[in-house]
Amino acid sequence: MKMVTIRGGIVAIAAACALCVTMVGCATENSGNVTSEQDEYSSVEQATIATRTVTFSALFFQDQAPEDVQASLQEQGYSDVVANEDGSYTVTMTVDKYNDLVDSMHSSVVEQLDGIPNSEDWPTITAITYDEQFSNVTLTTSSSEIGLQEAFVPLQVGLVSCMYQQIAGQPVKCVVNIVDGSGAELSSSVYPDALDEAQRDSVTAN
């Protein structure tokens, strides 16, 4: 039951990003169309990067035919779409589109995290706090110990947080703490270390 909830939560983030990017990316790098200008009073060149390469995680292409994925990415305005052996896809986009990707991903993660407390899926979670880059997340539970319902929340939080960090070019690390109503720590998990191998590879691949 809860494993379905977790996968559904992750897919919900991808859906929330659909207006701008459809899928969530895993790795980025500068590429192509590089120009530079040098100020006559400085020896430092000012480079202008016009495009960005992004690899979209295989996690968000499950049960989708390759031709449908290719078409969807091309419809979003991405070029040089390459299907990788691990099921991920690498594309090229403009810097403006990349910035929209990061912004929409951040908004989607915020929406997902803010929807956890007092929800139908997580009724014992009463509050959540996190920093701007989702490197530290604290969940408050009304329970005095970690039950089955709370046990899976850190996985959902850690996975989506790490995916955002990777695409945003931030250090990929999210510490998820669960505390009781008095603030006493009940559990602490560090992601991506706590993910299984396939999930860890998906959020840390360069």
Side-chain angles (χ1 to χ4, degrees):
M1 179 73 176
K2 281 302 164 189
M3 292 306 293
V4 174
T5 300
I6 290 169
R7 185 166 184 252
I10 296 168
V11 172
I13 286 187
C17 291
L19 289 177
C20 292
V21 297
T22 300
M23 311 292 183
V24 177
C26 282
T28 64
E29 62 181 17
N30 298 329
S31 71
N33 299 329
V34 179
T35 61
S36 63
E37 298 177 355
Q38 182 170 312
D39 188 285
E40 62 178 319
Y41 301 109
S42 173
S43 61
V44 178
E45 290 190 346
Q46 299 176 341
T48 302
I49 309 299
T51 59
R52 193 88 169 178
T53 298
V54 176
T55 298
F56 292 99
S57 171
L59 288 173
F60 291 92
F61 302 112
Q62 296 179 19
D63 304 322
Q64 297 186 57
E67 57 271 22
D68 293 338
V69 174
Q70 292 265 1
S72 176
L73 292 173
Q74 290 171 352
E75 287 174 3
Q76 294 299 314
Y78 302 135
S79 61
D80 303 324
V81 178
V82 177
N84 302 311
E85 292 184 0
D86 62 357
S88 64
Y89 286 78
T90 300
V91 304
T92 299
M93 66 182 67
T94 65
V95 170
D96 286 343
K97 187 173 285 290
Y98 169 74
N99 290 336
D100 287 343
L101 171 65
V102 173
D103 290 345
S104 63
M105 179 59 180
H106 189 278
S107 297
S108 298
V109 176
V110 167
E111 181 178 358
Q112 178 72 9
L113 297 188
D114 287 349
I116 292 176
N118 305 305
S119 64
E120 181 179 351
D121 291 325
W122 316 109
T124 58
I125 302 297
T126 59
I128 185 171
T129 60
Y130 47 84
D131 59 10
E132 187 70 13
Q133 298 300 330
F134 313 113
S135 57
N136 285 281
V137 181
T138 299
L139 298 152
T140 301
T141 177
S142 58
S143 303
S144 58
E145 59 183 21
I146 303 298
L148 182 60
Q149 286 185 312
E150 296 92 349
F152 292 109
V153 184
L155 172 59
Q156 179 173 334
V157 171
L159 185 56
V160 297
S161 297
C162 288
M163 293 183 77
Y164 166 77
Q165 292 166 348
Q166 181 65 28
I167 196 172
Q170 302 294 329
V172 181
K173 181 179 181 180
C174 177
V175 180
V176 184
N177 299 305
I178 298 181
V179 301
D180 63 18
S182 69
E185 183 178 290
L186 301 179
S187 74
S188 182
S189 305
V190 180
Y191 295 87
D193 296 350
L195 298 174
D196 65 36
E197 184 176 357
Q199 292 170 329
R200 188 165 56 249
D201 289 346
S202 292
V203 298
T204 59
N206 292 315

